[in-house]
């Protein structure tokens, strides 16, 4: 299974490199007003991908942090509850 995963990532990297080399051309972006920017197509795609990925990743990390805090609080509560429970009697068990 690890081989298939590695093969997938290698093929994806090869496809991205081929796409980048074949489309290494300037694109003119018309920004606000009369401002224009020239940028290569693969760099533009990378910037747009990161602009979409970073907010989603930040939301995921915030949810993981919150979930981990809840789990740790529950584990602390469970540990203190287990310590506070004492045996009912010290007599022999029949």
């Amino acid at each position: 299974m690890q081989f298939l995963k590695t093969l997938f990532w290698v093929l994806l990297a090869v496809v991205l490199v081929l796409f980048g080399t074949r489309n290494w051309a300037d694109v003119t972006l018309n920004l606000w007003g009369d401002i224009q920017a020239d940028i290569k197509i693969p760099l533009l795609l990378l910037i747009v991908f990161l602009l979409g990925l970073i907010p989603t990743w930040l939301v995921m990390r915030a949810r993981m942090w919150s979930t981990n805090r809840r789990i740790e609080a529950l584990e602390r509560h469970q540990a203190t509850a287990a310590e506070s429970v004492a045996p009912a009697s010290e007599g022999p068990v029949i």
Side-chain angles (χ1 to χ4, degrees):
M1 190 57 140
Q2 183 67 26
F3 172 74
L4 292 176
K5 187 191 231 184
T6 304
L7 181 65
F8 169 75
W9 287 112
V10 167
L11 288 176
L12 183 65
V14 168
V15 167
L16 288 175
V17 167
L18 287 175
F19 176 79
T21 56
R22 303 280 180 178
N23 293 304
W24 196 257
D26 285 335
V27 175
T28 302
L29 296 178
N30 293 321
L31 304 173
W32 57 93
D34 293 334
I35 300 173
Q36 292 183 340
D38 291 331
I39 189 169
K40 304 286 186 187
I41 294 175
L43 295 176
L44 177 64
L45 289 177
L46 178 66
I47 291 169
V48 169
F49 174 75
L50 290 177
L51 282 175
L53 177 71
I54 289 173
T56 306
W57 182 77
L58 288 174
V59 167
M60 180 206 59
R61 293 299 300 175
R63 287 186 179 171
M64 285 178 54
W65 177 74
S66 175
T67 304
N68 286 337
R69 285 187 57 215
R70 284 183 178 179
I71 290 171
E72 289 171 3
L74 288 172
E75 287 174 348
R76 281 193 309 267
H77 178 68
Q78 184 179 11
T80 57
E83 290 173 358
S84 66
V85 174
S89 65
E90 294 292 330
V93 178
I94 301 177

